[in-house]
Amino acid sequence: MLVLELALRGLDGPEYTRVRRAEFGPFSWFIGAAFTAAFVTSVLLVVHTHRAHSRVFRPAAIALALLLLAVVVTITVNGPINFEQQSWNATAPPPTWEQVRDRWQIAHAVRTAALVLALAFLNTPSKHAQETPQHSA
């Protein structure tokens, strides 16, 4: 995505608008479904590890907090901009289209960083999770 976002910076207003409109439909449902699955799974992991008093609870809770941050950024910045851009005239975008693009890309970078960090915390091994029971013969 970073490569795409950097490439979009080289487009003029009409080209940028056409690309954003084209990517909105196909990606929105998929990203929503994938994120919902990740969020529900993370909530269940936090609940389970809390009940089990597992050392995995802390990284799981941090990951869930980062996922919530991504939701807040999406709801307050990226989502409204996505809907706004769908109403733009592709041949004559608004005069502020570059500022809107920049705001969207900054929020997207924050959201992406939060999601990557969440994934890192979900993949953080703990001594407790790596322990294997000793079986006697």
Side-chain angles (χ1 to χ4, degrees), residues 3 10 15 50 54 63 77 87 89-90 92 101 103 131:
V3 173
E15 291 172 328
H50 184 276
S54 170
V77 182
S87 67
N89 180 340
R101 176 204 61 201
R103 202 168 73 242
E131 290 176 4

Side-chain angles (χ1 to χ4, degrees), residues 8 11-20 85 88 97 101:
L8 290 177
L11 300 178
D12 65 14
E15 291 172 328
Y16 173 79
T17 301
R18 280 193 283 281
V19 169
R20 290 293 293 142
Q85 289 176 339
W88 289 359
W97 75 269
R101 176 204 61 201

Side-chain angles (χ1 to χ4, degrees), residues 19-120:
V19 169
R20 290 293 293 142
R21 291 173 100 188
E23 70 182 4
F24 181 75
F27 289 125
S28 297
W29 72 268
F30 173 75
I31 291 170
F35 183 82
T36 299
F39 187 78
V40 168
T41 303
S42 297
V43 168
L44 293 173
L45 178 64
V46 167
V47 169
H48 175 72
T49 57
H50 184 276
R51 287 181 181 162
H53 302 289
S54 170
R55 293 181 188 169
V56 178
F57 170 72
R58 179 171 278 171
I62 292 169
L64 182 58
L66 289 164
L67 289 172
L68 286 171
L69 172 63
V71 168
V72 169
V73 171
T74 299
I75 290 172
T76 60
V77 182
N78 294 99
I81 290 175
N82 287 343
F83 288 112
E84 175 187 342
Q85 289 176 339
Q86 294 308 302
S87 67
W88 289 359
N89 180 340
T91 58
T96 60
W97 75 269
E98 289 175 297
Q99 290 84 10
V100 173
R101 176 204 61 201
D102 293 348
R103 202 168 73 242
W104 189 94
Q105 288 182 336
I106 289 167
H108 180 66
V110 168
R111 180 176 62 183
T112 300
L115 293 172
V116 167
L117 284 170
L119 181 62

